Amino acid sequence: MCGIVGYTGTQNAAPALLEGLKKLEYRGYDSAGIAVLENGRISVSKVTGRIAGLEEKTEGGALLPGTTGIGHTRWATHGAPTEPNAHPHASNDGRFVVVHNGIIENYMELKQELLAKGYRFESETDTEVVAHLVEMYYRGDLKSAVMRTAARLRGSYALGIICAEEPDTVIVVREASPLILGVGIGENFFASDVTALVAYTRNAIYLEDGEFAKLTPDGISVFDCTGHEIEKKISRITWDIQAAEKGGYDHFMLKEIMEQPRAVKAAIAPRLHGSEIVLDDTDIDLTGIRKIVITACGSAYYAGCAAKYAIEALCRIPVTTELASELRYSDPLMGEDTLVIVLSQSGETADSIAALRECKSRGARALAIVNVVGSTIAKIADWCLYTWAGPEIAVATTKGYTTQLTVLYLFALYAGRKLKTVDDASYRKLLSCLKSLPKLLQQALDMNPEIPRLAKKYHRADSMFFIGRNTDYAVALEGALKMKEISYIHAESYAAGELKHGTIALMHDGQPVIALCCNDAITEKTMSNIVEVKARGAEVLAVAHRENSKILSLADDMIFVPRVHPLLSAAVEIVPLQLLAYYVAKENNCDIDKPKNLAKSVTVE
Ligand code: M6R
């Protein structure tokens, strides 16, 4: 995720900007830049790679003198991690320079409009439209120009903007992206994260959506979206730096679990154009495709297992899921009639790369769904859809998984529409459900305050079983993996109907069984399995809709999930299981963000 900082005061701005950016490094980034205003001129310096490179290039900021400036760390979404795509971005006349955190959803249409008016674009980013719009609207007052610009933008943004003609002034505006103002003495700051502020001030103003602010060394004025000045409370920052880097959460994993509504929104919103799904610049050629093979490792593989149901239902093409480490050595039967979909958060997983190469060598067409822009898998595949989850730091994936699923759902609907295998009514219904996924994810996060208590009850277990059928079974696979990898408790996922073919022999008094019962069409059957394991002494924790009163009377404990269309339900159902694994691991004092023996990116076989 990108980070932004800004300074106006009496000291040179560049060193403070560089220090602020360093504090944002933990968020992950692939390029960085700063812009400083001095004597009616703005100088910009950018690098790909580390802030250390930017420090070197600017000689610790000395090459960019001036007391007002803005800075940015970029995590590539629109366009590869290159210097032209790095922020800050300047207007064509160089008078306006902008940094941006978020995604401008309607940037393509704004870009067309600006191109038609003769503006030149130097980058592939969505942000650059902002610099040109501000130039277009400027009539001697930066704040008014930014207000007119913001009125044209759709999406999420925290913007910091400086103008060569307005010394000592920074204008900021926020909409659905974090933006905090730091109140100093004779100097003022802004940042996307308090981490970048605490070294300078502990007095902060938190902007709300739609609010603007004008920062000068002498003060900060805040305005509502109509331009009326408003009073804002100054809050005291009490976090220490370490906690602040995790946004106040104890672990990155919890922070990333909580980020899921926003991450899923970022994956969906830019791809919905009215009632049509537009998959980036990618026109995926499905002509003659007779089978789809999804391949990946770990959680990414389980995302594929869950999405298989949606793709088959909507596209009427058989889908098989193959572990990449198996597929690569399996002499796979495929050819030009096969679409292989490779899922990978990192885009660098060795087995997934090898499986992709193997499939391509047999003539299959390849679609990659990855999070890291410019990664190997993204480059090798014929088409790539990014998940836009932002950097994932905890080894155990959470938002990586849910955004992979989300993009697979988008693909299933898009392909079903294209192949005419989904009727209009179902398409509209599923599209509306897809749009509500961020809200449903938030509900799933909010509706289970009991999970820490349940973790206290179950954390001493030697083993756990996760059971379910159909899409619930696919979620059980991922739920069990989460439990194993961070709590070190043996966890086995089982198709509920398979229990009596052997595994039920393992049931004994107090054996925890997590039973997923969210798919109405098959829940009755899973409930029979709950009765069977309870008869053998198991302690059942059911994951179900609150309205399912029958389960309430069967299970020992309950976790609730909101009702979601069954084809899309996995993305929401997994949330309480992530939380359960997290709190169980916490009870067991495990190293949650860096579990033993595991690496974030498995680049070796
Ligand atoms: O980067 P990738 O998505 O290709 O990684 C695949 C697996 O290594 C990854 O999902 C792994 O299973 C995680 N530890 C799960 O939390």
Side-chain angles (χ1 to χ4, degrees):
M1 217 154 58
C2 305
I4 58 175
V5 293
Y7 174 86
T8 178
T10 51
Q11 308 293 312
N12 270 336
L17 298 173
L18 290 167
E19 277 312 304
L21 292 181
K22 277 197 230 160
K23 293 288 184 300
L24 300 179
E25 281 189 296
Y26 77 93
R27 299 158 70 103
Y29 66 103
D30 43 44
S31 55
I34 56 173
V36 177
L37 165 59
E38 194 203 22
N39 297 332
R41 199 173 156 269
I42 301 173
S43 311
V44 178
S45 185
K46 313 185 200 186
V47 293
T48 55
R50 305 285 98 187
I51 309 278
L54 188 60
E55 276 188 308
E56 204 177 311
K57 187 171 178 181
T58 61
E59 295 182 3
L63 295 182
L64 274 77
T67 55
T68 299
I70 52 181
H72 191 271
T73 49
R74 174 171 188 258
W75 200 78
T77 54
H78 297 68
T82 60
E83 232 176 78
N85 287 335
H87 299 216
H89 289 288
S91 58
N92 285 163
D93 62 10
R95 283 186 302 158
F96 307 93
V97 175
V98 55
V99 289
H100 167 218
N101 185 8
I103 292 180
I104 310 290
E105 289 162 14
N106 59 335
Y107 84 100
M108 278 308 278
E109 58 196 73
L110 293 170
K111 188 168 177 175
Q112 293 311 326
E113 177 188 327
L114 288 158
L115 283 168
K117 289 193 160 90
Y119 288 89
R120 283 175 288 101
F121 280 76
E122 311 284 344
S123 76
E124 301 158 89
T125 66
D126 51 338
T127 305
E128 199 182 340
V129 295
V130 177
H132 301 319
L133 284 171
V134 175
E135 179 186 331
M136 186 167 91
Y137 289 129
Y138 188 71
R139 303 279 179 279
D141 176 33
L142 182 60
K143 182 182 133 250
S144 306
V146 174
M147 281 186 65
R148 290 190 67 186
T149 299
R152 301 288 317 276
L153 306 178
R154 246 189 12 246
S156 60
Y157 48 85
L159 296 165
I161 302 162
I162 51 177
C163 166
E165 288 168 20
E166 300 197 17
D168 302 330
T169 303
V170 182
I171 301 290
V172 298
V173 55
R174 103 158 238 178
E175 180 66 42
S177 253
L179 186 58
I180 304 140
L181 311 180
V183 185
I185 299 170
E187 56 184 7
N188 288 302
F189 309 80
F190 76 82
S192 48
D193 189 320
V194 287
T195 331
L197 300 177
V198 283
Y200 301 98
T201 178
R202 287 186 172 265
N203 293 328
I205 295 174
Y206 291 87
L207 284 193
E208 301 297 325
D209 284 350
E211 289 177 352
F212 295 76
K214 178 174 179 170
L215 284 72
T216 63
D218 302 327
I220 295 178
S221 314
V222 181
F223 308 88
D224 67 13
C225 60
T226 64
H228 286 111
E229 189 161 353
I230 50 175
E231 283 283 313
K232 293 289 287 186
K233 185 173 123 225
I234 297 183
S235 311
R236 190 85 187 135
I237 303 169
T238 51
W239 289 346
D240 60 37
I241 287 188
Q242 253 198 338
E245 284 178 349
K246 294 182 187 132
Y249 293 105
D250 287 347
H251 296 94
F252 283 110
M253 183 178 176
L254 187 58
K255 176 171 175 272
E256 288 158 7
I257 290 173
M258 296 301 177
E259 279 172 359
Q260 289 178 109
R262 187 182 308 158
V264 163
K265 188 169 181 204
I268 298 173
R271 289 164 170 146
L272 294 186
H273 293 207
S275 63
E276 291 308 313
I277 296 170
V278 178
L279 293 181
D280 316 339
D281 301 327
T282 299
D283 188 19
I284 300 162
D285 179 13
L286 297 168
T287 328
I289 292 296
R290 297 275 167 269
K291 75 173 189 182
I292 296 177
V293 176
I294 302 181
T295 189
C297 301
S299 295
Y301 170 73
Y302 295 144
C305 294
K308 164 188 159 82
Y309 297 93
I311 300 175
E312 285 192 334
L314 299 176
C315 305
R316 311 311 298 165
I317 296 176
V319 178
T320 56
T321 50
E322 309 274 356
L323 288 163
S325 53
E326 291 292 319
L327 179 66
R328 64 184 291 189
Y329 297 119
S330 68
D331 191 9
L333 296 176
M334 58 173 65
E336 286 169 9
D337 64 348
T338 310
L339 175 71
V340 60
I341 304 180
V342 188
L343 305 171
S344 177
Q345 188 285 130
S346 62
E348 300 295 349
T349 301
D351 282 324
S352 305
I353 295 172
L356 168 59
R357 290 207 159 105
E358 185 61 40
C359 297
K360 285 206 70 174
S361 75
R362 287 163 195 254
R365 278 168 258 178
L367 166 65
I369 297 180
V370 304
N371 194 31
V372 178
V373 173
S375 55
T376 307
I377 290 176
K379 285 191 205 134
I380 303 175
D382 298 303
W383 306 284
C384 177
L385 297 173
Y386 288 111
T387 51
W388 293 337
E392 196 177 56
I393 293 164
V395 165
T397 186
T398 52
K399 61 178 183 170
Y401 169 88
T402 39
T403 52
Q404 278 164 356
L405 260 177
T406 303
V407 174
L408 282 165
Y409 294 155
L410 275 162
F411 167 77
L413 263 177
Y414 160 90
R417 182 84 152 171
K418 199 163 164 166
L419 297 167
K420 301 193 174 32
T421 43
V422 59
D423 61 76
D424 280 354
S426 310
Y427 177 84
R428 277 198 303 276
K429 192 168 165 192
L430 280 155
L431 194 66
S432 136
C433 179
L434 196 63
K435 283 186 196 163
S436 62
L437 274 186
K439 194 179 79 203
L440 294 163
L441 279 158
Q442 191 59 52
Q443 284 174 16
L445 286 167
D446 295 341
M447 71 198 299
N448 288 294
E450 288 290 285
I451 289 179
R453 182 189 65 76
L454 292 171
K456 281 192 198 304
K457 174 173 173 184
Y458 288 101
H459 77 105
R460 286 202 187 84
D462 292 330
S463 79
M464 293 184 185
F465 286 85
F466 286 69
I467 64 167
R469 290 168 182 254
N470 197 270
T471 44
D472 285 339
Y473 171 49
V475 179
L477 293 164
E478 172 62 3
L481 179 61
K482 286 283 94 60
M483 186 61 75
K484 291 187 254 223
E485 66 181 335
I486 60 166
S487 77
Y488 316 143
I489 293 175
H490 169 251
E492 195 155 338
S493 40
Y494 235 77
E498 274 291 294
L499 283 170
K500 60 170 86 64
H501 296 286
T503 308
I504 202 163
L506 295 171
M507 291 302 143
H508 57 80
D509 272 353
Q511 169 63 57
V513 173
I514 322 296
L516 287 110
C517 305
C518 302
N519 190 330
D520 288 344
I522 202 85
T523 288
E524 287 280 336
K525 300 285 174 195
T526 309
M527 279 163 41
S528 316
N529 302 119
I530 293 179
V531 173
E532 286 160 9
V533 296
K534 276 202 67 76
R536 281 139 187 105
E539 192 88 7
V540 173
L541 166 53
V543 182
H545 304 130
R546 208 185 278 278
E547 316 80 76
N548 190 337
S549 52
K550 276 196 197 158
I551 294 202
L552 280 175
S553 60
L554 270 185
D556 297 282
D557 293 296
M558 292 292 303
I559 283 179
F560 299 111
V561 285
R563 192 169 281 283
V564 186
H565 190 293
L567 289 179
L568 311 186
S569 150
V572 177
E573 231 172 287
I574 191 61
V575 168
L577 298 186
Q578 296 167 340
L579 288 169
L580 182 68
Y582 173 82
Y583 283 108
V584 166
K586 201 169 174 197
E587 282 300 320
N588 290 347
N589 290 321
C590 298
D591 189 353
I592 294 179
D593 284 336
K594 293 194 187 75
K596 65 181 180 199
N597 307 336
L598 296 180
K600 181 68 185 160
S601 182
V602 186
T603 53
V604 290
E605 196 177 353

